């Protein structure tokens, strides 16, 4: 079984995808971490986030073992990832890895922006997880402020809005629900309630 979980920044899709993978005995891939890791590697090398050919080369040499690096969660890396992710050659360089991961038995849950539309258009179930920008900024701010109390809510909200715009308006694999995706709005749901709602959608889709 392949489950695609797409949605904007800080929608809760990563936590949800991990919980669904545990529930159904599937492997989990956070595809945002691939783009974050490419951004990290580019920043450590040339630092030029707008050179598609050079970034695609970095993406081709990405070591997938390094995508658990906690440094990828730092403020700023998400935005850099969103910039490198605009470039079609960079996306192309990461495509085969994602598809191979999804196809390997017993299947997988992948979360990202274009899983249901581009990476796994034949996924068994597609969820598109949303929440208001304010609710997402509150969640992200709470996480970041635990490590650094000086981070303010308004700058987190501004970054989320910038990323939403860049990820949805780009030409290459923009953030959007697949035509056959189930929408899950988590603005007023905690993680347990979102998990329960996702399971209900999946079970309903599985039964003939
Ligand atoms: O899910 P995330 O916030 O960790 O993703 C970081 C950035 O990576 C996101 O702003 C856009 C890009 N991304 C993408 O373009 N396609 C994906 N499948 C996953 C992430």
């Amino acid at each position: 079984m392949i489950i695609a979980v797409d949605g904007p920044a800080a929608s809760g899709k990563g936590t949800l995808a991990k919980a669904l993978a545990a529930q159904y005995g599937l492997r989990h891939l956070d595809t945002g971490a691939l783009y974050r890791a490419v951004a990290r590697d580019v920043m450590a090398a040339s630092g030029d986030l707008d050179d598609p050919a050079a970034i695609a080369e970095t993406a081709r040499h990405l070591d997938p073992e390094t995508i658990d690096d906690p440094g990828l969660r730092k403020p700023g890396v998400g935005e850099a990832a969103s910039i490198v992710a605009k470039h079609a050659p960079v996306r192309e360089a990461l495509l085969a890895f994602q598809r191979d991961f999804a196809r390997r038995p017993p299947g997988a849950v992948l979360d990202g922006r274009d899983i249901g539309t581009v990476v796994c258009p034949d996924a068994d179930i597609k969820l598109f997880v949303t929440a208001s920008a304010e609710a997402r900024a509150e969640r992200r701010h709470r996480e970041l402020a635990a490590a650094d109390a000086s981070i303010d809510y308004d700058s987190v909200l501004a970054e989320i809005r910038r990323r939403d715009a860049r990820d949805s308006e780009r030409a290459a694999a923009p953030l959007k629900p697949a035509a056959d995706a189930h929408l899950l709005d988590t603005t007023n749901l905690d993680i347990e309630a979102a998990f329960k709602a996702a399971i209900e959608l999946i079970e309903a889709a599985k039964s003939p």
Side-chain angles (χ1 to χ4, degrees):
M1 176 158 73
I2 297 176
I3 302 178
V5 182
D6 289 304
S11 56
K13 63 187 186 313
T15 310
L16 183 62
K18 215 176 287 169
L20 291 174
Q23 172 77 14
Y24 289 104
L26 301 170
R27 291 147 53 253
H28 169 236
L29 180 64
D30 166 6
T31 65
L34 297 172
Y35 291 93
R36 286 171 182 263
V38 171
R40 170 203 60 200
D41 292 352
V42 170
M43 288 188 291
S46 71
D48 184 353
L49 298 174
D50 275 312
D51 179 347
I55 303 168
E57 191 56 18
T58 302
R60 278 189 283 277
H61 289 100
L62 177 68
D63 177 358
E65 299 290 323
T66 68
I67 68 169
D68 291 331
D69 171 4
L72 298 184
R73 301 284 127 211
K74 284 195 190 140
V77 181
E79 178 129 35
S82 164
I83 296 171
V84 302
K86 282 185 314 190
H87 306 303
V90 177
R91 309 195 66 82
E92 182 61 36
L94 298 174
L95 198 52
F97 175 80
Q98 296 174 79
R99 287 189 173 151
D100 289 349
F101 187 98
R103 286 194 196 121
R104 238 175 298 136
V109 184
L110 280 77
D111 71 88
R113 302 289 186 290
D114 62 338
I115 309 303
T117 50
V118 174
V119 178
C120 300
D122 299 328
D124 299 282
I125 318 275
K126 300 178 185 177
L127 301 178
F128 193 85
V129 185
T130 55
S132 70
E134 291 77 10
R136 289 183 284 127
E138 256 166 53
R139 290 174 197 161
R140 183 53 55 88
H141 179 249
R142 215 177 304 132
E143 262 169 45
L144 294 173
D148 177 357
S150 70
I151 289 176
D152 73 296
Y153 168 83
D154 288 342
S155 62
V156 175
L157 178 60
E159 185 193 319
I160 284 203
R161 291 208 163 116
R162 268 197 309 277
R163 275 220 275 156
D164 283 357
R166 194 185 297 106
D167 294 347
S168 334
E169 289 163 16
R170 69 183 179 217
L175 166 68
K176 64 169 184 206
D180 51 351
H182 302 274
L183 299 187
L184 181 57
D185 187 334
T186 68
T187 304
N188 297 308
L189 301 182
D190 62 15
I191 179 61
E192 283 81 20
F195 178 65
K196 194 164 167 277
I199 296 283
E200 278 166 16
L201 288 171
I202 293 170
E203 292 303 320
K206 271 168 65 182
S207 54

